[in-house]
């Protein structure tokens, strides 16, 4: 999509002044036209625009397929019409917008995808080089220890390091709040003294409440997004009642003074409680019911990523390695990530919007190679059916690898197809069972997503459809 296409849309609608309402729902953006006689039908012949035009009584609707919300967000940025999400009467029934936290999070991540995908490719290349070095007979220590290789690894990790700041800015942009205040909140844990304070060397308390020594927990995208949503609401309330002389100053002051400490006071004890009980509970479950634990981890690992709880698995993995010589938790993580890839591929095959299809294909590839964020946040979270299908695929794969006691024999950050050699065990079929578990997770999540997406398209055949290429 580009500015020319938006201009063509506006020309077809008869200009900005002829648009009464803009609404986005279920992958389409709808324009309610004030005067249908002002429509410029010649645009349909002269421009690459395909529109569904529906006239119901005195109302005229123009509908365009907009799965990525790019057109909707661009039109909203023009601030030329009502966008409050009022119900529209179409074909004798009411269509209502229902807020979805999954869809909102996905919309926040969509603009970040070029940077994330670019960094993901670099991370994957670096991981492949490191893996080749591990299993190569040639001596490549010079390359692996070189500063050049280190800098390339840092470039790949850099985007993910500052991801909380990027997420905060994107959230504030969508909510039309102060992006600089949002960036300040997102970067709180990067402050050197705060990083040292959270190093785990000593207990940290804030206003008498304990804070968990996991900076990444506070910087998880979902907590950043919720914090910025609260900040945007507080900003609007304060600005409404602030005198003119203090507008633009009081809201940031109160946000940083009240909201940020409040978030720490809420998340701090929660993280401390999780830090105390979650590893112990999971360790006990893995030891006493390994099949059930691996199946559950295959299902909920994606949720743990979203909530910032996956860092607590490291202690369990280390304990498994010491006690058993291998880790079943890593196998559960692998099938969970592959489940997200399968759902992303099904979305790519079902999508009718070129931009969404390209993104889903790229997200599938990066997820299979260890970078799951694009598939999880930008593709699967847009639709509850694909998100739940990915969780079920992870559970199915987890059940299989749990039953066969599949283990990884070396530590790895995010397991992927590149890390399959870590599952090789001489004299056993461990690697074969790993591959079967991966295929099951990929097939179940992809098949369910494709089937449910097809059912959704059949239900929507009677609704307006349009696209802009």
């Amino acid at each position: 999509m580009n500015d020319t296409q938006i201009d063509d849309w506006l020309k077809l609608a008869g200009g900005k002044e002829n648009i009464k309402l803009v609404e986005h729902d279920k992958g389409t953006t709808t324009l309610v036209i004030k005067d249908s006689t002002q429509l410029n039908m010649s645009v349909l012949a002269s421009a690459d625009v395909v529109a569904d035009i529906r006239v119901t009584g005195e109302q005229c609707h123009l509908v365009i397929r907009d799965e990525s919300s790019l057109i909707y967000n661009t039109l909203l940025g023009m601030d030329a019409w009502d966008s409050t999400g009022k119900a529209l009467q179409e074909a004798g029934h009411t269509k209502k917008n229902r807020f979805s936290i999954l869809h909102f999070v996905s919309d926040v991540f969509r603009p970040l995808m070029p940077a994330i995908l670019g960094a993901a490719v670099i991370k994957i290349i670096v991981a492949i080089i490191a893996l080749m070095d591990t299993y190569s007979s040639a001596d490549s220590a010079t390359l692996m220890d070189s500063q050049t290789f280190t800098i390339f690894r840092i470039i790949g990790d850099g985007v993910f390091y500052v991801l909380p700041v990027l997420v905060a800015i994107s959230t504030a942009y969508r909510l039309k709040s102060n992006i600089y205040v949002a960036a300040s909140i997102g970067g709180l844990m990067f402050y050197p003294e705060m990083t040292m304070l959270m190093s785990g060397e000593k207990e940290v308390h804030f206003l008498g409440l304990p804070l968990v020594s996991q900076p990444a927990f506070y910087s998880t995208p979902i907590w950043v997004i919720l914090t910025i949503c609260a900040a945007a609401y507080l900003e609007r309330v304060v600005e409404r009642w602030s005198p003119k002389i203090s507008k633009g100053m009081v809201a940031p002051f109160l946000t940083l003074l009240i909201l940020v400490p409040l978030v720490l006071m809420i998340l701090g004890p929660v993280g401390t409680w999780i830090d105390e009980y979650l590893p112990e509970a999971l360790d006990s479950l893995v030891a006493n019911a390994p099949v059930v634990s691996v199946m559950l981890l295959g299902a909920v690992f994606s949720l743990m990523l979203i909530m910032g709880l996956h860092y607590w698995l490291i202690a369990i993995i280390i304990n498994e390695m010491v006690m058993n010589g291998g880790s079943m938790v890593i196998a559960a993580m692998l099938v969970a990530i592959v489940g997200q890839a399968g759902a992303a591929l099904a979305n790519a095959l079902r999508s009718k919007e070129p931009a969404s299809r390209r993104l889903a294909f790229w997200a599938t590839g990066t997820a299979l190679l260890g970078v799951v964020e694009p598939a999880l946040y930008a593709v699967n979270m847009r639709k509850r059916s694909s998100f739940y299908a990915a969780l079920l695929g992870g559970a199915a794969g987890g059940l299989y690898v749990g039953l066969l006691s599949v283990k990884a024999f070396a530590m790895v950050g995010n397991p992927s197809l590149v890390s399959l050699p870590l599952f090789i065990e001489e004299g056993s079929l461990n690697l074969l069972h790993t591959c079967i578990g991966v295929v099951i997770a990929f097939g179940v999540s992809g098949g369910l997503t494709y089937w449910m997406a097809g059912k959704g398209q059949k239900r929507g055949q009677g609704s307006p459809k349009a696209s802009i290429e």
Side-chain angles (χ1 to χ4, degrees):
M1 189 195 70
N2 51 46
D3 293 339
T4 302
Q5 292 169 325
I6 290 294
D7 289 340
D8 290 337
W9 233 155
L10 294 177
K11 289 177 183 178
L12 174 61
K16 291 192 295 185
E17 62 280 356
N18 197 38
I19 299 177
K20 179 182 179 181
L21 173 69
V22 179
E23 185 177 75
H24 184 80
D25 182 56
K26 296 181 180 179
T28 59
T29 291
T30 301
L31 307 185
V32 180
I33 305 302
K34 296 178 182 178
D35 183 2
S36 60
T37 62
Q38 298 297 317
L39 294 177
N40 187 352
M41 305 302 291
S42 62
V43 175
L44 295 176
S46 61
D48 189 16
V49 172
V50 179
D52 183 84
I53 303 173
R54 171 168 293 194
V55 179
T56 307
E58 296 181 355
Q59 283 192 328
C60 178
H61 302 146
L62 295 184
V63 184
I64 182 172
R65 183 168 292 279
D66 185 21
E67 296 176 13
S68 60
S69 305
L70 293 176
I71 298 171
Y72 175 69
N73 291 331
T74 303
L75 292 174
L76 284 192
M78 297 180 179
D79 288 327
W81 37 69
D82 182 10
S83 58
T84 57
K86 298 176 183 176
L88 300 179
Q89 299 294 331
E90 290 195 19
H93 66 277
T94 303
K95 183 175 84 173
K96 297 181 179 179
N97 262 349
R98 285 182 288 183
F99 177 77
S100 168
I101 183 64
L102 295 179
H103 198 283
F104 181 80
V105 172
S106 180
D107 277 347
V108 167
F109 270 86
R110 281 274 173 143
L112 309 180
M113 281 303 105
I116 292 177
L117 288 172
V121 173
I122 296 176
K123 282 174 65 70
I124 291 167
I125 293 174
V126 169
I128 292 174
I129 293 175
L131 185 69
M132 292 173 62
D133 173 72
T134 302
Y135 290 94
S136 174
S137 58
D139 183 13
S140 57
T142 304
L143 170 63
M144 298 300 297
D145 295 336
S146 70
Q147 294 178 339
T148 300
F149 185 84
T150 301
I151 290 174
F152 274 117
R153 179 171 54 79
I154 292 172
I155 293 173
D157 290 335
V159 172
F160 298 92
Y161 181 75
V162 299
L163 187 60
V165 177
L166 300 178
V167 168
I169 292 173
S170 182
T171 305
Y173 180 79
R174 282 192 56 79
L175 298 175
K176 299 184 179 179
S177 64
N178 193 312
I179 62 174
Y180 304 106
V181 173
S184 302
I185 295 173
L188 175 66
M189 291 298 160
F190 299 142
Y191 190 73
E193 195 169 351
M194 179 66 87
T195 303
M196 292 178 60
L197 199 62
M198 292 288 185
S199 63
E201 296 180 359
K202 59 182 179 180
E203 292 185 357
V204 182
H205 290 79
F206 178 73
L207 296 178
L209 295 174
L211 299 182
V212 62
S213 297
Q214 288 279 6
F217 174 64
Y218 299 99
S219 301
T220 300
I222 188 64
W223 303 131
V224 174
I225 290 172
L226 293 177
T227 302
I228 303 306
C229 288
Y233 176 78
L234 178 62
E235 178 183 321
R236 290 190 179 94
V237 172
V238 173
E239 288 294 325
R240 188 179 304 131
W241 297 103
S242 297
K244 290 184 178 180
I245 192 172
S246 61
K247 283 190 180 296
M249 296 296 296
V250 176
F253 165 70
L254 291 179
T255 298
L256 296 174
L257 179 67
I258 298 175
L259 187 62
V260 175
L262 182 62
V263 170
L264 291 177
M265 291 169 64
I266 294 173
L267 292 183
V270 171
T272 302
W273 183 87
I274 293 172
D275 193 27
E276 183 177 354
Y277 293 105
L278 180 64
E280 183 180 344
L282 286 178
D283 198 24
S284 176
L285 186 63
V286 170
N288 299 315
V291 176
V292 175
S293 64
V294 172
M295 183 184 70
L296 289 177
L297 281 174
V300 304
F301 177 70
S302 297
L303 297 176
M304 296 179 72
L305 277 174
I306 295 171
M307 304 294 289
L309 304 181
H310 55 295
Y311 297 100
W312 278 275
L313 294 177
I314 296 176
I316 300 173
I317 293 173
I318 293 175
N319 184 61
E320 277 191 298
M321 290 288 185
V322 172
M323 300 299 295
N324 306 321
S327 173
M328 296 178 67
V329 171
I330 294 178
M333 294 166 59
L334 174 61
V335 294
I337 291 174
V338 171
Q340 293 292 333
L345 178 61
N347 275 305
L349 297 176
R350 280 292 191 185
S351 177
K352 295 183 179 180
E353 187 186 47
S356 296
R357 191 182 305 121
R358 286 193 299 269
L359 173 58
F361 275 125
W362 274 98
T364 301
T366 59
L368 289 174
L369 296 175
V371 183
V372 71
E373 285 83 359
L376 175 60
Y377 290 110
V379 179
N380 295 331
M381 288 185 73
R382 295 194 68 77
K383 298 178 181 178
R384 283 178 295 180
S385 58
S386 62
F387 183 72
Y388 297 149
L391 301 186
L392 290 174
L399 177 61
Y400 180 85
V401 298
L403 288 171
L404 276 299
S405 300
V406 172
K407 297 176 183 177
F409 299 98
M411 290 282 291
V412 63
N414 273 357
S416 66
L417 298 186
V418 175
S419 55
L420 282 177
L422 303 181
F423 292 85
I424 296 175
E425 183 183 28
E426 188 176 354
S428 78
L429 298 177
N430 191 73
L431 178 60
L432 175 62
H433 292 312
T434 303
C435 294
I436 294 175
V438 164
V439 171
I440 290 174
F442 191 86
V444 169
S445 61
L448 284 175
T449 301
Y450 193 86
W451 173 64
M452 287 188 285
K455 288 184 65 177
Q457 289 179 1
K458 288 180 180 179
R459 283 197 301 269
Q461 280 180 353
S463 61
K465 293 182 179 179
S467 61
I468 185 168
E469 303 293 333

